[in-house]
Amino acid sequence: MNRRTMTLDEFTLCARRAGLDLSAAELHELYGEIAMSCALMSEMAEHVKALLSPASEPAHVFDADGEVGDDRR
Amino acid sequence: MTDAELPTIAEAAGLIASRRLSPVELTRSAIARIEKLDPRLNSFLLTRPEAALAEAGAAETAIARGDYRGALHGIPIAHKDIVETAGIRTTAHSKLLRDYVPQRDATIVRRLAAAGAITLGKTATHEFAMGGPSFDLPWPPARNPWNTDHFTGGSSSGTGAAVAAGLILGGSGSDTGGSIRLPAAYCGVTGLKPTYGRVSRHGVLPLAYALDHVGPLAWTAEDCAILLQAMAGHDPADPASVDTAVPDYRAALREDLRGVRIGVVRHFFESDYAIDDEARGAIDAALETMRGLGAELREIRLSPLQDYGACGWLVLIAESWAVHETVMRKRFRDYGRMMRNRVVLGAFLGGADYVQALRLRRQLADEMREAMRDLDVLVTGITPGEAPRIDEKPEFESFQRPLMMPFNVTGQPSMAVRCGFSRRGLPLSLQIAGKPFDEARVLHVGHAYERATPWRNLRPKLNAG
């Protein structure tokens, strides 16, 4: 399984945004300890989204691949 | 009191009610066993022997004048150390709370005391009920009385170990992802996670609001029924507490299973998460015993375990981060490594991920309700096999215990019951789950099975440390 783990930079950004009061060295150590677990959580999140039944989705179906319209035309 | 003389709550209650056993004698015996055996088990973080003996004396006096409160009167129990006890230190097994003394009792403490139970002390747990065993905390983790090189399971680890070793006759635990049922299974006792909202969580330190349950651990299903009777019931102080009638759990216990419809969720423990041959063999034998007692068995299919696991862990991690976020931002290093490395994962989750998990939760609960429409209980696996060694370390957090998480996700009652032993003499267990608020049926099935099998007659052989 190709499990995508965050880079250290991505991890550090998230940790800082979460307000963790840790030094760069501590964040590096924490990254080593939990990066795989973070990746596993992301996989779980994708798995959950895939399971949600279409009938439970909003009535307005958003076309993720549609073009942005320009109403000024 | 020797191992052979250790009574259950039900047995002790009969002896106490008929004045053939003194609550003081019973409590003194429990204190002696704790002093002799707990140095090897570390099941207690705190004991209060003088106060317990005083309470036992008061119970004895009250019973002598005819003021008998019921089966728990004069019975020594203990509380998991996330349950607040007024004037008694409550630490959550954490450096952060090592000196915390609550001013109030949790509702379950108050109710069990009102029923006459004697609080002997506070039992070991995983730090804030989240992940263990940890060796970097102010107190060591509890050890399995069947083999002290092995894990108790957690997080109600101390209660499980203390009941198995006969140090107490019963106790409280909490269960967010299996934390009553896992130590019950690994320590070979009976542990019940009631329906969400059945037992008040007021005064119990939270881990995940949507998944936390509080319930009893004891030697038998009957004893769990007695404890639950005192613990259950609406509490306005707990916003999740449900105002629905509490039945007489003990009156519902029968020794046959005639007419009971059991759904066997075999794919959970044979393909979704294959347990070992010993554990599977023990469950198959138990199912045949249940069939022999008159139960009707049929296999059913539910969503795969992975679906429940993903849903449950996302909710648990997000909510535990919400509980600890403010403190953990500033005092990250004061938490133990295992606990903090789990909870901090919530900082990397998005709010949308949490919302989607809650939506899936509703779908899974609806599916479960439909699947159980013509059934009374489910039986399935609970652990991969015997308790592992206490020093086994996982490579990274892989979010195990998948066999228990479905019933935290759906909120229905579920109970661990011993069904045999491994070749190495460690307990093997199974799981009985019921419909919401039908703890009576779950207890009935567990009780009937226990009475038909020899497992309750075997206690761990322990020597002083």
Side-chain angles (χ1 to χ4, degrees), chain A residues 3 6 11 14-15 18-23 26 29-30 33-34 36-38 40-41 44-45 47-49 51-53 56-57, chain B residues 306-307 309-311 313-314 317 321 328-330 332-333 337 341 344-345 347-349 353 356-357 359-360 363 396-399:
Chain A
R3 183 168 285 155
M6 279 187 275
F11 181 87
C14 287
L20 286 171
D21 184 19
L22 296 172
S23 68
E26 285 170 325
E29 184 183 4
L30 183 62
E33 290 173 355
I34 72 169
M36 282 283 275
S37 303
C38 288
L40 187 50
M41 295 293 301
M44 287 188 189
H47 183 80
V48 163
K49 277 187 279 197
L51 290 170
L52 288 167
S53 62
S56 70
E57 294 308 308
Chain B
Q306 293 85 337
D307 296 357
C311 174
W313 277 110
L314 285 168
I317 294 294
W321 172 244
M328 198 170 270
R329 279 175 172 168
K330 293 293 174 196
F332 189 74
R333 302 164 204 82
R337 184 176 298 269
N341 281 3
V344 78
L345 294 170
F348 300 87
L349 277 177
D353 295 331
Q356 303 293 35
R359 294 175 69 213
L360 179 62
Q363 276 186 208
F396 69 96
E397 177 59 70
S398 54
F399 308 107

